[in-house]
Amino acid sequence: MARAKARTDAGGRGHALWREWARSLDRPLTSYYLILGTAVLLIALGLVMVLSSTMVKSITETGSSFSLFQKQLVSAVVGLPLMILASHMPQALFRLVGYPTMILSVALLLLTVFQGVEVNGATRWLDVGGLVVQPSEPAKLSFALWGANILARKDELRELTEWRHLLIPLLPGCGLLVLLVLLGSNLSTALVFLITFLGLLWVVGAPGRLFVTMFGLVLALAVIVIAIEPYRMARVTSFLDPGADPLGSGNQSLHGLYALGTGGIFGVGIGASREKWGFLPFAESDFVFAIIGEEFGLIGTLLVLALFGVLGYAGLRVATRVKEPFPRLASFAIVTWLMGQVMINVGAVIGLLPVTGVPLPLVSYGGSSLITTMVALGVLLALAKAEPQAARALEARGPSQVQRALSWLGLENFVASMNNRGGTASRRVAAGRGPRTPGPRGGRTTAKHRNGPVPAGDRPRRNRQR
């Protein structure tokens, strides 16, 4: 009887804890804190893994075990205030910067094609005053914000009922970015742009026939691009049978699997990886997940995947809970981009996909990727505040430290004006009045009458004084 009662009490406590955890997910700022917490944990993990995986390479190249880690640490230090600042910016500012950042990204990618730095046969980097950057990384964020703004504006104008409004100018913009990165032999980034493009079409509610057609075109483009380049075809064949060329095209895939197999369940211990001693190419960037599996084992890899899963869930939670079109589209685009990179990177390491050279977000070595991803997460944090309950909870708390700092710098009025600007169109749509568009004589009218003059019966009567 005593044992049965103890089991009953334990089961009751378990159910109570489960109910308390379920209730905690309904709190106003759950999405915000999930994104922030997972981002901090992944950044910290990334710094640890970069230190571990680059020590041998650093001491060989520079004589110091910490040279590459110091560069990654500097990138994290630069990205952290940018992420915090982005998390306090109004969504109207993100809509405003979409076009100029998109134009700047195209210009930098075009400059990279002609004057870029070539490494291992790929021209992906640009030397700017001695600082080597990868313009395709910030271009991912620019395309996500630009595409979300384009579709959100058309959604507010009720113009997403025809296929040409869904694809123009989104498809040409994506095609231009894809073309420029392909000219630099960067197929992996081109795939990320295409995945983000398909994600935007999906969330905006594109017809099934149109979505399937675009998906087929993306697959056809990928097949053509792979077929015309011998080294890409070699990667595909080595993916199908890495053991056929163990010292050539299959070398990286095989040593990635060796690292995962050596780690077992619990790993060989942090810093004790054997594959990083020159056996596994690009262990700090493309195959850092293999080093995680070797040093932390299956348990470590599952925890990393769980963190990315929580991050993806939180981003999708924001996309489903916000009311306005832009934060819904922008958050979904960012989540699609980041989770797409995770699936491509992990799939290549475990042998489910060909090796493409996509970094693992927040974990792989690379300053351009780390800073851009941190800014994107700052944007996602700002969009999480647009959830109705989150907005009310933050308003009840009063101004934050960052808002006080903006007020001290004299930027409080600018942020307030951007907030008012961003909410005008959404409030009009929510009120059922439609967006404001130019009237027939330079005045203002609603979407109900945007195609012609206001009928006489609808005109308000005014009492004239004589």
Side-chain angles (χ1 to χ4, degrees):
M1 292 294 293
R3 292 181 179 178
K5 183 177 180 181
R7 285 196 297 268
T8 303
D9 293 340
R13 288 193 296 271
H15 286 299
L17 290 174
W18 177 262
R19 288 194 298 268
E20 180 64 24
W21 179 80
R23 282 196 297 267
S24 67
L25 292 179
D26 291 330
R27 293 176 180 173
L29 295 172
T30 296
S31 302
Y32 180 88
Y33 287 120
L34 285 178
I35 296 170
L36 181 61
T38 52
V40 171
L41 289 175
L42 286 170
I43 293 169
L45 173 67
L47 291 175
V48 172
M49 294 314 303
V50 167
L51 175 61
S52 175
S53 60
T54 60
M55 293 184 70
V56 176
K57 184 177 180 180
S58 296
I59 199 170
T60 302
E61 294 180 352
T62 65
S64 171
S65 302
F66 305 101
S67 57
L68 293 178
F69 168 74
Q70 289 172 350
K71 292 181 180 180
Q72 189 76 353
L73 182 61
V74 169
S75 299
V77 171
V78 172
L80 185 60
L82 293 178
M83 183 177 73
I84 296 174
L85 184 62
S87 68
H88 287 80
M89 291 294 103
Q91 58 175 280
L93 180 63
F94 303 138
R95 301 187 68 165
L96 184 65
V97 301
Y99 269 101
T101 56
M102 184 70 172
I103 295 173
L104 181 61
S105 298
V106 171
L108 290 176
L109 287 173
L110 191 62
L111 188 62
T112 304
V113 171
F114 294 100
Q115 298 184 3
V117 178
E118 183 177 346
V119 179
N120 296 323
T123 309
R124 305 178 183 180
W125 295 269
L126 187 64
D127 190 348
V128 182
L131 181 65
V132 179
V133 298
Q134 191 171 358
S136 59
E137 291 297 328
K140 297 173 185 176
L141 178 58
S142 299
F143 176 69
L145 296 179
W146 175 78
N149 183 37
I150 290 292
L151 294 178
R153 191 177 300 277
K154 292 191 175 188
D155 185 37
E156 292 168 353
L157 295 174
R158 309 291 196 270
E159 291 180 348
L160 292 180
T161 57
E162 300 180 14
W163 68 267
R164 60 186 182 91
H165 288 298
L166 288 167
L167 298 181
I168 307 298
L170 188 64
L171 180 59
C174 179
L176 179 59
L177 293 176
V178 168
L179 176 62
L180 291 175
V181 296
L182 285 179
L183 290 176
S185 299
N186 193 353
L187 176 61
S188 56
T189 302
L191 291 177
V192 174
F193 284 127
L194 293 172
I195 290 173
T196 308
F197 167 70
L198 292 176
L200 284 171
L201 288 185
W202 174 269
V203 74
V204 84
R209 183 180 302 177
L210 177 63
F211 184 83
V212 171
T213 301
M214 291 296 104
F215 185 76
L217 288 176
V218 169
L219 288 181
L221 176 63
V223 170
I224 293 172
V225 171
I226 291 173
I228 62 177
E229 288 287 351
Y231 78 94
R232 290 184 185 136
M233 184 60 68
R235 285 184 177 181
V236 174
T237 56
S238 65
F239 152 69
L240 298 175
D241 186 11
D245 188 11
L247 299 179
S249 58
N251 179 66
Q252 192 175 21
S253 297
L254 283 176
H255 281 279
L257 295 176
Y258 293 159
L260 293 173
T262 304
I265 301 297
F266 300 103
V268 298
I270 183 170
S273 168
R274 301 178 182 90
E275 290 294 332
K276 69 183 180 183
W277 286 79
F279 298 104
L280 178 60
F282 303 106
E284 74 282 358
S285 54
D286 301 344
F287 271 68
V288 70
F289 188 75
I291 304 300
I292 294 174
E294 185 179 8
E295 295 188 349
F296 294 98
L298 177 64
I299 301 300
T301 58
L302 292 179
L303 288 176
V304 172
L305 293 179
L307 287 175
F308 280 113
V310 172
L311 181 61
Y313 162 76
L316 293 178
R317 191 175 188 269
V318 173
T320 55
R321 293 169 71 92
V322 293
K323 302 301 182 182
E324 295 83 6
F326 175 76
R328 182 177 69 250
L329 290 165
S331 57
F332 194 88
I334 293 174
V335 170
T336 303
W337 150 34
L338 296 179
M339 295 303 106
Q341 281 198 192
V342 171
M343 290 187 289
I344 294 174
N345 180 276
V346 175
V349 172
I350 64 178
L352 293 179
L353 294 173
V355 177
T356 57
V358 172
L360 189 62
L362 299 176
V363 182
S364 293
Y365 173 77
S368 299
S369 175
L370 178 61
I371 294 175
T372 302
T373 306
M374 292 179 72
V375 174
L377 291 176
V379 174
L380 202 56
L381 287 171
L383 298 177
K385 297 178 183 179
E387 293 183 16
Q389 295 181 358
R392 288 192 291 268
L394 290 172
E395 186 177 356
R397 289 185 177 184
S400 64
Q401 295 294 334
V402 176
Q403 290 172 330
R404 293 190 182 98
L406 292 174
S407 176
W408 182 77
L409 294 173
L411 299 176
E412 184 180 22
N413 293 332
F414 169 75
V415 174
S417 65
M418 294 300 295
N419 275 322
N420 294 331
R421 179 178 179 178
T424 302
S426 300
R427 286 193 297 267
R428 292 184 63 84
V429 173
R433 292 182 288 171
R436 295 174 70 100
T437 54
R441 296 183 180 178
R444 289 290 192 182
T445 183
T446 63
K448 179 179 178 181
H449 303 127
R450 66 173 178 266
N451 295 324
V454 181
D458 290 347
R459 296 174 183 169
R461 296 182 180 179
R462 299 179 181 176
N463 297 324
R464 297 182 179 179
Q465 297 179 357
R466 297 183 179 178

